[in-house]
Amino acid sequence: MQHAVVFDGLFKTFGGRVAVDRLSLQIPVGSVYGVLGPNGAGKTTSMLMASGLLRPDAGRVEVLGRDVWADPVAAKALFGVAPDGLRLFDSLSAQELLRFVGELRSMPGPVIAERATELLHVLGLADAANVVVADFSAGMTKKIGLACAMLHAPRVLILDEPFESVDPVSAQTMRSVLSRYVAGGGTVVMSSHVMELVEAVCDHVAVIVRGRPLAAGRTADVRGGMSLHERFLQLAGVGTNELGSGLQWLQS
Amino acid sequence: MAAVLIRLKLTILRRSLGRDTSRLISFVFGLVAGAMVCLGSILATAGLRSGSVADASGAVAALATVTMLWMVTPLMMAGVDSSLDTAAFSLLPLGARRLIPGLTLAAFVGIPGAVTAVFALDQIAVWSRSVPATLAAIVAGLLGAATCVVLSRVVTSLIARSMWRRRARFLVTLVLPVVYLVPLMLDQVLQRGHSSLEASAVRPAAGIAGWTPFGWAWAVPWEVARGAYAGAAVHLALAVALLVVLAVLWERVLDVELTTTAPRQVGTVHASRARSGRSGPLAAIARRRLLGWRRDPRLTMQAVTLVAVSLIPAVPALFGPGHQDGPSGLVPLVLSASMAGVLMANDLAYDGTAWWLQVAAGVPGWVDRAGRVLAIGVSVLAFDVLVSIVQVAFGTRTAWLAVSGPLLSALLIALGMGAALGAMDPGTAARRGPNPFAGSAGGGARGCLTALVMFGVPVFLVAPVIVGAVLAGHSTLLQCLVLTAGALWGAGGLVVGIWWGGRILDRGAPEMLGKLRTFG
Ligand SMILES: Nc1ncnc2c1ncn2[C@@H]1O[C@H](COP(=O)(O)OP(=O)(O)O)[C@@H](O)[C@H]1O
Ligand SMILES: [Mg+2]
């Protein structure tokens, strides 16, 4: 089977503290691959390294056979990315932003206009087309970020916490947009710490804790009969009785 | 509470210096400059102390000016303000009333605060001619120094609040630079009339300054020293009233700041129509940057400041005779060229982390540099042409051809240098968000260094063209030749700058993004 994205021994430290520890993952073509992990597990760091925005200390990333760090121009044409925690050019309106992003990728004007209109419509942002992105809510910002990532019709999408602060209705819209994208041959890699969502959306998952993958594969295999939630807590090594007799002072 | 806040401020200062060498260097520069100002003030004090009361009244005017500077400086230099960011306290159950004394005292930890404290002590020495005058000076020192701090805090907070509303924010950024530049302009105009007057004309300055709100407190010991007790009483009452009013205002504003976050305002804009023809990354980057002059209040402020600052020195030439063809007519053009370079060097800081979009799209470094140079260069060139047309229309500039070569090459070289420098370091910008005065992206220190380099180095690089222009004399043919050579020389510098900067970005785009990320 051909792999859409291959993480090969990715390693990153920040000031001596290991954030991502020799992470290797194979993401099959046509899958929706969820990278699960608690806060600080290294999800954002891995996503940034995979999308050419943060240089790894060691390791390689390949997107459809192209090395992201050795051949960035070819690789960057193949995937779209929506990072978490980085701004957009938010003094532009939604429409202007999409046009700007399209022009950065040298797309022809009419194609940009057509796709931008359609994306804004499908994502429920048509009314906000002429609103400055700075005035968007957190959920709307996530959606316009997704539109920016999809505009050039990439074959792989790398999404960091795509459903964070998105309301249930919009989340449903985004899910159907993503499933149509995958049905058309696309591959999605997304990170999340929301178990239920990943269980519903992703056909493959990897659980990473402290930068290391503890389990990876088909969602059903990783789950092993439990709910993903239980399995995740088990892997992360958190028991429900962890607190013991601490926090006595909180009792009233 | 006061002790806690002062310790907090010391800790922040120590941390920020320890982490960043350029900040440390400029802090040392600031210390040296502050020490020199203090020394000057002490020497002046020695002179004034033994002089007549009329002479000593100069201290009132000087301190009134210092007080005004406290109000004006944070407005002029977004990001230089080093006060504690009160937004950080909004999560703590603390009322404004408990914070205000501590915040006021903490403001004296830092170079401007310390220098002001020295001034306040010096004026006590100046007025220590009799017991009543000394006592008055001690009261004046306390009142005056407190007024400085409270005034600056109230004004910045009020401005910051009005900045929340998009429309008001835009107006304020347009009007502010004009407001603070008007006195400077007036000064320029008046100076021409004044130069013939005798030095004694300066003396009424104390009287005038003493009756402005900035001088109310400082004038009290002067009035006591010259025996005008009624005047002293009025000044004292006014000074106390001012401080009370300001403190109440500050408490109000601070209470609001501590309990609210910026309201969200939906701003609809008319999307620029998609023109056919020019498209592609370079045009897109240039177009977005041009739009920034209008859309980003921080850049609007920069543009207005650029126009105002470069025009002021040229004002006298428009009014007085005898200035035709004088060098001051060229100042706007020279200054705007240097400032274009500074803008270019700081441009990535204004993008902030949003710059990732260009990295993710794989835009080559030189395209980024060239797009920005195009936008900034065209804007500044348009300004220069406008100024030149006005000057020619007013008849204040006739020898335009002779100076065009050096000016054009200066603009191009400054842009090229900015393109290279801006690729090594993102530079500085006021932070985004509700309060553009809250802090700076790269730290004021680095901004000062950049400005120093940008105003100094181009002079050397343009020197050959200047020499050529001087040698060309009045020959039109030679002047045309110098213009052509200057344009080519400048274009060469610009290309080198864009190429070099582009290469740096190509090699280290993720590292640049990392720097932008640490600035937020
Ligand atoms: N720029 C950075 N500088 C220092 N430490 C960082 C930086 N980015 C991330 N880290 C650290 O790396 C670890 C992983 O962070 P991150 O990838 O953001 O986790 P996640 O997205 O899974 O919550 C955390 O411990 C975080 O503190
Ligand atoms: Mg994250």
Side-chain angles (χ1 to χ4, degrees), chain B residues 413-433:
Chain B
I413 283 179
L415 284 170
M417 273 190 59
L421 220 60
M424 299 176 198
D425 191 279
T428 62
R431 206 189 286 156
R432 329 188 18 123

Side-chain angles (χ1 to χ4, degrees), chain B residues 14-373:
Chain B
R14 206 178 49 232
R15 291 261 168 80
S16 74
L17 293 180
R19 218 176 331 145
D20 191 336
T21 326
S22 66
R23 222 175 255 221
L24 186 66
I25 291 170
S26 76
F27 183 73
V28 171
F29 270 116
L31 267 185
V32 172
M36 268 157 56
V37 170
C38 286
L39 192 69
S41 157
I42 289 167
L43 289 179
T45 302
L48 290 179
R49 194 169 185 282
S50 51
S52 68
V53 170
D55 283 337
S57 70
V60 177
L63 284 161
T65 312
V66 168
T67 309
M68 193 181 74
L69 281 179
W70 270 87
M71 185 181 94
V72 161
T73 314
L75 302 184
M76 255 166 67
M77 306 189 205
V80 169
D81 179 20
S82 58
S83 55
L84 294 169
D85 186 1
T86 44
F89 302 116
S90 58
L91 293 175
L92 303 177
L94 289 171
R97 190 161 291 198
R98 280 195 66 199
L99 284 171
I100 282 180
L103 287 174
T104 310
L105 282 177
F108 289 100
V109 179
I111 297 170
V115 169
T116 306
V118 170
F119 286 166
L121 289 175
D122 282 348
Q123 61 95 37
I124 298 177
V126 169
W127 298 117
S128 60
R129 301 152 185 258
S130 63
V131 176
T134 312
L135 287 178
I138 292 173
V139 174
L142 290 173
L143 274 177
T147 305
C148 283
V149 171
V150 179
L151 182 65
S152 89
R153 297 287 76 225
V154 169
V155 170
T156 37
S157 299
L158 280 177
I159 299 288
R161 263 166 59 68
S162 63
M163 294 247 166
W164 286 351
R165 293 180 174 279
R166 184 175 295 283
R167 186 74 43 86
R169 187 169 60 188
F170 189 73
L171 278 179
V172 167
T173 44
L174 268 178
V175 169
L176 256 184
V178 178
V179 169
Y180 66 70
L181 288 169
V182 162
L184 292 176
M185 289 208 186
L186 278 181
D187 184 51
Q188 284 276 333
V189 175
L190 289 179
Q191 247 177 20
R192 299 185 47 75
H194 258 282
S195 49
S196 55
L197 294 181
E198 276 134 55
S200 65
V202 180
R203 291 213 184 131
I208 298 166
W211 286 113
T212 65
F214 307 113
W216 285 343
W218 305 115
V220 174
W222 170 53
E223 300 272 37
V224 171
R226 65 184 191 134
Y229 290 101
V234 174
H235 270 117
L236 183 64
L238 285 173
V240 171
L242 175 67
L243 188 58
V244 169
V245 167
L246 286 175
V248 169
L249 257 178
W250 192 17
E251 194 186 330
R252 288 266 171 83
V253 178
L254 199 56
D255 263 329
V256 174
E257 261 177 31
L258 289 175
T259 49
T260 49
T261 47
R264 206 166 267 289
Q265 286 242 318
V266 175
T268 309
V269 296
H270 294 285
S272 44
R273 257 178 298 114
R275 271 157 299 177
S276 52
R278 291 275 126 234
S279 75
L282 203 157
I285 290 168
R287 191 163 343 102
R288 190 190 65 74
R289 186 56 188 72
L290 279 175
L291 203 59
W293 294 131
R294 266 193 295 139
R295 292 278 177 82
D296 189 337
R298 303 168 304 162
L299 287 173
T300 314
M301 187 95 123
Q302 292 286 327
V304 176
T305 307
L306 186 151
V307 171
V309 166
S310 24
L311 280 183
I312 293 165
V315 170
L318 289 180
F319 286 85
H323 257 80
Q324 276 93 344
D325 274 348
S328 67
L330 295 177
V331 169
L333 308 180
V334 175
L335 271 182
S336 65
S338 286
M339 287 177 71
V342 174
L343 277 171
M344 190 58 212
N346 288 329
D347 212 41
L348 279 181
Y350 284 92
D351 282 13
T353 52
W355 191 65
W356 76 266
L357 277 163
Q358 281 184 212
V359 182
V363 176
W366 74 267
V367 172
D368 172 86
R369 300 287 91 193
R372 288 165 204 273
V373 161

Side-chain angles (χ1 to χ4, degrees), chain A residues 115-126:
Chain A
R115 288 188 191 170
T117 311
E118 199 172 345
L119 276 170
L120 289 175
H121 179 74
V122 170
L123 288 168
L125 290 173

Side-chain angles (χ1 to χ4, degrees), chain A residues 14 17 19 38-45, chain B residues 517:
Chain A
F14 289 112
R17 282 189 54 217
N39 292 320
K43 303 183 294 293
T44 295
T45 309
Chain B
R517 264 200 329 153

Side-chain angles (χ1 to χ4, degrees), chain A residues 14 44 48 51-55 69 72-73 76-77 79 81-93 95-97 99-101 103-109 113 129-138 145 148, chain B residues 166 264-275 278-285 287-288 291-292 295-296 351-363 372 432-433 506-511 513-514 517 520:
Chain A
F14 289 112
T44 295
L48 288 175
S51 47
L53 298 176
L54 178 71
R55 201 184 298 279
W69 288 96
V73 177
K76 282 171 179 174
F79 67 86
V81 53
D84 186 41
L86 298 182
R87 290 178 168 282
L88 297 167
F89 285 108
D90 54 12
S91 58
L92 301 179
S93 71
Q95 201 164 22
E96 287 168 339
L97 180 65
R99 178 169 170 223
F100 177 69
V101 169
E103 284 181 340
L104 285 183
R105 294 192 181 264
S106 305
M107 290 165 59
N130 286 326
V131 173
V132 180
V133 174
D135 290 334
F136 275 22
S137 70
C148 288
Chain B
R166 184 175 295 283
R264 206 166 267 289
Q265 286 242 318
V266 175
T268 309
V269 296
H270 294 285
S272 44
R273 257 178 298 114
R275 271 157 299 177
R278 291 275 126 234
S279 75
L282 203 157
I285 290 168
R287 191 163 343 102
R288 190 190 65 74
L291 203 59
R295 292 278 177 82
D296 189 337
D351 282 13
T353 52
W355 191 65
W356 76 266
L357 277 163
Q358 281 184 212
V359 182
V363 176
R372 288 165 204 273
R432 329 188 18 123
D506 283 339
R507 290 187 177 173
E511 284 71 23
L513 201 55
R517 264 200 329 153

